[in-house]
Amino acid sequence: MKKARLLLACMFLSVFFVSHALAHTPFCFCSDNGNGTILCEGGFLDGSSAVGVRIQVVDANGKIFVEGYLDKKSEFIFNKPSGEYTVIFDAGFEHTVTVPSSEITEQQ
């Protein structure tokens, strides 16, 4: 009986901690506006604001093309660089999302 209670308690705690860990998971979506600019929108799955989160756009060697911060709409617009690049959404420790240019498509 003790083992069953212990197992049940462990299962409950694991569900609690997994849901808590996923609650503040960051996301970043970028799309090509078709006019030479890229729009990136970021946030967190729990609905937390991403206003002020740092965004960097880097080339394959890590050279920074442009950097800035998400605005009050949690958006960042930049001029599309030529060649391959990566957008980095950096909200701090273990809250980083990278979006390679190969995954950025033009808005329909």
Side-chain angles (χ1 to χ4, degrees):
M1 189 68 171
K2 278 188 172 185
K3 286 184 181 180
R5 287 183 186 172
L6 181 60
L7 180 61
L8 185 60
C10 287
M11 288 174 41
F12 173 76
L13 289 174
S14 66
V15 168
F16 172 76
F17 286 117
V18 167
S19 64
H20 182 70
L22 294 176
H24 203 64
T25 302
F27 66 86
C28 183
F29 300 108
C30 299
S31 56
D32 186 330
N33 290 324
N35 63 0
T37 63
I38 304 293
L39 167 66
C40 295
E41 301 173 90
F44 296 95
L45 293 182
D46 66 356
S48 297
S49 173
V51 172
V53 169
R54 184 171 70 162
I55 296 283
Q56 291 182 319
V57 182
V58 300
D59 68 11
N61 297 317
K63 179 183 174 196
I64 298 172
F65 285 124
V66 65
E67 75 179 321
Y69 299 90
L70 293 178
D71 65 14
K72 63 183 178 182
K73 294 181 183 179
S74 294
E75 298 178 343
F76 182 72
I77 299 174
F78 60 94
N79 292 326
K80 182 179 178 179
S82 59
E84 296 294 314
Y85 59 94
T86 300
V87 175
I88 303 170
F89 171 98
D90 185 4
F93 180 72
E94 295 186 3
H95 288 93
T96 302
V97 177
T98 58
V99 181
S101 59
S102 60
E103 293 180 8
I104 299 174
T105 58
E106 193 168 325
Q107 290 181 345
Q108 300 297 322

